[in-house]
Amino acid sequence: MKLQDKVSIVTGGGSGLGRSMCLNLAKEGSKVVVADMNLENAEETVKMIKDNGGEAISVEIDVVNTTQIENMVKTVIDQFGSIDILCNNAGIPGTGVKTAEVSDEAWHKVINVDLTSMFLVSKRVIPQMLKQGKGVIINTSSASGLIASEAGIEYTTAKHGVVGLTKQLAFDYGHEGIRVVAIAPGVIETPLTIKVGATGPEGILHDLTMKAPAGRYGKPDDIGKVVAFLASDDADFIHGHTIPIEGGSSIR
Ligand SMILES: NC(=O)c1ccc[n+]([C@@H]2O[C@H](COP(=O)([O-])OP(=O)(O)OC[C@H]3O[C@@H](n4cnc5c(N)ncnc54)[C@H](O)[C@@H]3O)[C@@H](O)[C@H]2O)c1
């Protein structure tokens, strides 16, 4: 067990990639805080962890609400005494249309939820990690953080922003014991990708995915397993980088 007695917060832990992160972190011995705006789904993840003998709590949170973030941080410290791992993962899809058709509202919403939230949550968790002299932050970018695609300008821009945010966090705090990395998943079959019609033969990212070396959609566990590794001391020399987990879809 590589994460015995660690305390992890996973935003968006009620579904898809976040749920797999929660299950894989718990499998390695971490206590998990499942933070999601959908409390029912977060509780379902908690139940899955507990059924496997792990320890977890749910927290209802909107990751762009600073009061709710501060309350969550306080709850976790009061209950568990530390925050060792933060997975900034909650996110929403882009519109999938070309730039001139993206509404201003859609732009601001996606930039807020997919990028600004990671700044808002990180800056409120970092003081606790500094006190501990140790911590790991893992941000969910996307293959759309590495290349342009059909995902839409607001999503592509937000996810490229996550790559930069990750570098700057690593630069700012690596010397003080906080290791920061990001992941860039390709198309993974989750409620999100199914909802936006990204998967399946008619899906907007189908060709990109099938022409990539792996030639298949990802599964949530393809991501959760790598995140558990990145959270562990085995990944101690990986700082500030965005690790592609995309079946090779961004190599050209
Ligand atoms: N599925 C993919 O193919 C894929 C690929 C690359 C990156 N990503 C990224 O992975 C992350 C998770 O995506 P997923 O596919 O698991 O999606 P999902 O919709 O299955 O899960 C996202 C979770 O985040 C929660 N959430 C959304 N907005 C929130 C907010 N404001 N506050 C708190 N919780 C919120 C939702 O309730 C949901 O439980 C996102 O950042 C997404 O951009 C997904």
Side-chain angles (χ1 to χ4, degrees), residues 132-252:
Q132 298 162 191
K134 199 167 159 69
V136 180
I137 299 177
I138 303 172
N139 301 318
T140 304
S141 176
S142 168
S144 298
L146 307 174
I147 56 167
S149 77
E150 289 79 1
I153 191 163
E154 71 285 35
Y155 190 76
T156 300
T157 306
K159 293 300 186 180
H160 275 71
V162 174
V163 173
L165 173 128
T166 301
K167 287 182 185 173
Q168 189 65 43
L169 283 171
F171 180 85
D172 284 350
Y173 294 107
H175 286 276
E176 292 172 85
I178 304 178
R179 192 163 56 78
V180 189
V181 294
I183 54 165
V187 183
I188 316 294
E189 282 182 312
T190 67
L192 180 148
T193 44
I194 293 163
K195 191 168 106 195
V196 300
T199 55
E202 306 300 319
I204 54 170
L205 298 170
H206 186 72
D207 281 358
L208 180 82
T209 305
M210 292 307 156
K211 285 180 184 159
R216 66 167 175 87
Y217 293 113
K219 299 183 288 295
D221 246 19
D222 290 323
I223 307 302
K225 282 181 194 164
V226 177
V227 165
F229 159 72
L230 289 172
S232 78
D233 285 344
D234 285 349
D236 199 43
F237 205 46
I238 305 177
H239 284 253
H241 282 293
T242 298
I243 313 300
I245 319 169
E246 34 61 295
S249 62
S250 67
I251 61 173
R252 60 171 196 153

Side-chain angles (χ1 to χ4, degrees), residues 11-19 21 35-38 41 61-64 88-93 109 113-114 117-118 140-144 155 159 183-193 195 198-199 205:
T11 69
S15 178
L17 310 191
R19 174 170 286 171
M21 291 176 196
D36 204 296
M37 69 191 312
N38 185 326
N41 286 351
I61 185 181
D62 182 340
V63 287
V64 294
N88 281 314
N89 166 75
I92 53 173
K109 173 94 182 153
V113 177
D114 289 4
S117 70
M118 300 198 185
T140 304
S141 176
S142 168
S144 298
Y155 190 76
K159 293 300 186 180
I183 54 165
V187 183
I188 316 294
E189 282 182 312
T190 67
L192 180 148
T193 44
K195 191 168 106 195
T199 55
L205 298 170

